[in-house]
Amino acid sequence: MNKKQAFNPYLPSWEYIPDGEPYVFGDRVYIYGSHDFWNGYVFCMGDYVCWSAPIDDLGNWRYEGIIYPRNEDPMNKDGHMCLYAPDVTVGPDGRYYLYYVLDKVGVMSVAVCDKPAGKYEFYGYVHYPDGTRLGERDGDEPQFDPGVITEGDKTYMYSGFCPKEDKSRSGSMVVTLDKDMLTVITEPQLIIPGICYSSNTQYEGHAFFEASSIRKVKDKYYFIYSSEVMHELCYAFSDNPLNGFKYGGVLVSNSDLHIDTYKPAEMPTNRGANNHGSIIEICGEWYIFYHRHTNGTWFSRQGCAEKLTLNANGRFNQAEITSCGLNGGPLKGRGEYPAYIACNIFGKEPEIYIGDLNAPRIMQDGKDGDEEIGYIYNIKEGTNIGFKYFDCKGITKVSITTRGYGGGAFAVKTAWDGEELGEIQIENSNVWKKYTANIMIPDGVHSIWFTFKGTGNPTLGSFTLE
């Protein structure tokens, strides 16, 4: 079968589905997440949509459509509230249950469907046996970012949000739900502390912030969460879904901190911010799903994924962020590639977090929903742009397409701090224009880096290896 290559982000460049919870149902992997807009002004402005791909062809994603509109919830008939990050589990009755929180209330809503990507219908609110909704009883903490897993007739639901200096939020809490998928049958219990309560614990420096997610790997429960620094997804593991979790480490950072394979460990090579995702095994390989930020803001996030290594001791190694994520290996070292699959973008002074709108950033033309291909905008003198990885053989020419007002050259390298293999000269142009140089890339698996040397702020649309 002629499979499509898989890139990061794994969905089309005009789609913005962060907070991804991946699940394999049958012979397809489904992604459930919130729904940002291109050039959005707040988080999660869209309805829930679903995408899926064959488990053996992870570059071939299919749009399943809207599975749950924001005004389906009885509390949100006028649509004034956003649908925050959801999670899905299969109940004892074989139906699919979608758990979510609206942005202005602290209770957990549930929708249900007979199919993984059908039209979900509102089902009810998670509540205590007396009917009081979880999150509204005295002493309850507000519900946020559910993570759910069902075993037999019981469902374990994790939730929490712990901003800095808010001592009213303890950490991630877990409850057990009865077979009706709504009724709480165990009291809320803390499993991982937030930053206000993590001092002198195993979680200090990596305390719980948000993004609860739960998976079972063999006989252990793995809890995935976003830590106090936001850009990283961490994990903890236990033999019991209700207690005893031990800190495991960092799974991925959307700033690529802690990775020392191609740079100093604490050097960020991408501007990050919040993060949310989970782990999944697909055809015997483990992956971590997470998201990146575009447009220089918090509100246009895109799903990415990386291959993980699960060691014999049950620990995962942190994944390096790449352009080839779900591909399972390097991309073909020949042909044209869009610039939006860049996994590293940083200037002379690397920054951990987004926020500087004068910095280079990934953008698109048009409005949200327009199927416009993304590109890298506002490139400056000294900007480094990295694409990883490519299996190169016999490459003697490199081309780029650019537009915008900038003059100078893009140096081509196989490491951000490596030897320049050649330069591609560019000039001002208000339309996309292609430039080519005779540049030899050594045979083998390499990253491809471009460093701009010049004036103005050109835009990079694509590059070609031939």
Side-chain angles (χ1 to χ4, degrees):
M1 184 172 64
N2 187 21
K3 299 179 183 179
K4 294 179 66 175
Q5 292 195 105
F7 305 142
N8 270 329
Y10 51 84
L11 297 181
S13 68
W14 41 264
E15 184 64 288
Y16 298 84
I17 308 297
D19 307 326
E21 289 281 357
Y23 288 98
V24 172
F25 297 128
D27 60 358
R28 300 186 72 83
V29 56
Y30 294 82
I31 191 72
Y32 303 91
S34 52
H35 189 182
D36 285 356
F37 282 175
W38 160 242
N39 210 25
Y41 54 86
V42 293
F43 296 118
C44 311
M45 296 178 68
D47 299 325
Y48 287 144
V49 302
C50 186
W51 290 75
S52 74
I55 57 174
D56 59 354
D57 191 4
L58 297 176
N60 189 15
W61 289 83
R62 181 178 75 198
Y63 179 59
E64 302 287 355
I66 295 173
I67 61 171
Y68 194 71
R70 59 196 295 175
N71 62 357
E72 179 72 14
D73 192 295
M75 291 192 295
N76 199 37
K77 287 302 183 182
D78 64 356
H80 73 286
M81 290 186 279
C82 297
L83 294 167
Y84 276 169
D87 197 10
V88 168
T89 187
V90 181
D93 59 359
R95 295 194 294 172
Y96 298 83
Y97 289 83
L98 176 75
Y99 289 74
Y100 65 94
V101 171
L102 295 166
D103 71 335
K104 299 184 187 303
V105 295
V107 301
M108 189 69 68
S109 300
V110 187
V112 67
C113 187
D114 292 332
K115 300 184 294 184
K119 301 298 183 183
Y120 284 74
E121 297 180 351
F122 179 77
Y123 179 65
Y125 301 105
V126 174
H127 58 262
Y128 292 102
D130 67 358
T132 303
R133 295 189 298 192
L134 179 64
E136 293 184 332
R137 190 182 68 176
D138 288 346
D140 280 357
E141 298 189 15
Q143 299 300 291
F144 191 78
D145 281 2
V148 284
I149 187 171
T150 300
E151 295 187 301
D153 287 342
K154 294 180 178 179
T155 294
Y156 304 102
M157 186 184 79
Y158 304 77
S159 175
F161 176 59
C162 291
K164 294 181 179 180
E165 301 179 358
D166 186 350
K167 293 185 178 181
S168 71
R169 312 290 186 98
S170 303
S172 184
M173 313 287 285
V174 61
V175 296
T176 308
L177 304 180
D178 207 346
K179 61 183 178 181
D180 66 355
M181 309 300 285
L182 294 175
T183 305
V184 175
I185 59 174
T186 62
E187 287 293 309
Q189 184 172 340
L190 177 70
I191 63 160
I192 295 180
I195 188 171
C196 293
Y197 301 99
S198 63
S199 181
N200 298 317
T201 75
Q202 60 183 317
Y203 296 99
E204 187 169 6
H206 302 279
F208 175 82
F209 173 53
E210 61 179 358
S212 297
S213 183
I214 187 72
R215 295 291 188 272
K216 194 172 185 181
V217 181
K218 297 182 180 178
D219 59 348
K220 293 189 182 295
Y221 299 88
Y222 284 69
F223 180 76
I224 298 93
Y225 67 98
S226 175
S227 80
E228 63 192 73
V229 299
M230 298 187 296
H231 60 79
E232 64 185 22
L233 291 180
C234 301
Y235 74 101
F237 57 93
S238 175
D239 296 325
N240 190 313
L242 298 176
N243 54 53
F245 282 87
K246 298 179 181 179
Y247 179 71
V250 177
L251 291 165
V252 71
S253 159
N254 57 27
S255 297
D256 226 13
L257 283 185
H258 321 308
I259 292 292
D260 63 2
T261 51
Y262 69 99
K263 63 175 182 63
E266 298 312 303
M267 172 185 170
T269 52
N270 205 47
R271 293 174 178 84
N274 68 359
N275 210 343
H276 192 150
S278 197
I279 60 174
I280 188 172
E281 185 180 22
I282 305 174
C283 295
E285 300 287 354
W286 284 96
Y287 297 90
I288 174 69
F289 281 62
Y290 65 104
H291 63 236
R292 72 176 188 180
H293 294 74
T294 70
N295 201 29
T297 77
W298 293 67
F299 308 129
S300 297
R301 300 164 295 170
Q302 295 182 315
C304 297
E306 306 294 350
K307 194 172 179 179
L308 280 175
T309 299
L310 177 61
N311 298 309
N313 63 1
R315 300 292 185 102
F316 286 100
N317 296 338
Q318 181 179 340
E320 176 184 330
I321 61 175
T322 71
S323 304
C324 57
L326 291 173
N327 205 52
L331 300 169
K332 297 175 184 176
R334 186 174 295 274
E336 184 177 16
Y337 289 93
Y340 74 80
I341 70 169
C343 52
N344 304 118
I345 305 174
F346 63 95
K348 293 180 179 178
E349 297 182 5
E351 299 171 293
I352 298 177
Y353 298 106
I354 59 171
D356 179 8
L357 290 179
N358 288 318
R361 58 190 186 272
I362 294 170
M363 294 184 59
Q364 69 167 72
D365 292 334
K367 62 182 184 301
D368 184 73
D370 290 348
E371 297 185 9
E372 297 280 354
I373 302 298
Y375 52 81
I376 302 173
Y377 173 74
N378 208 35
I379 296 168
K380 310 270 190 176
E381 161 76 22
T383 297
N384 298 285
I385 303 170
F387 303 84
K388 299 179 299 190
Y389 287 94
F390 299 86
D391 188 1
C392 298
K393 185 175 182 180
I395 300 303
T396 58
K397 289 184 179 181
V398 180
S399 302
I400 58 176
T401 58
T402 69
R403 74 178 182 192
Y405 294 95
F410 281 88
V412 180
K413 301 175 285 187
T414 56
W416 68 274
D417 58 349
E419 175 187 359
E420 292 187 10
L421 303 178
E423 293 184 348
I424 305 173
Q425 298 290 326
I426 68 165
E427 59 187 23
N428 291 339
S429 174
N430 58 10
V431 296
W432 292 111
K433 190 173 180 180
K434 185 176 181 178
Y435 303 90
T436 302
N438 293 321
I439 298 174
M440 182 176 294
I441 305 292
D443 290 352
V445 175
H446 299 290
S447 54
I448 303 295
W449 288 84
F450 297 94
T451 300
F452 181 60
K453 303 189 296 183
T455 59
N457 55 342
T459 295
L460 182 65
S462 68
F463 69 96
T464 302
L465 306 175
E466 55 187 321

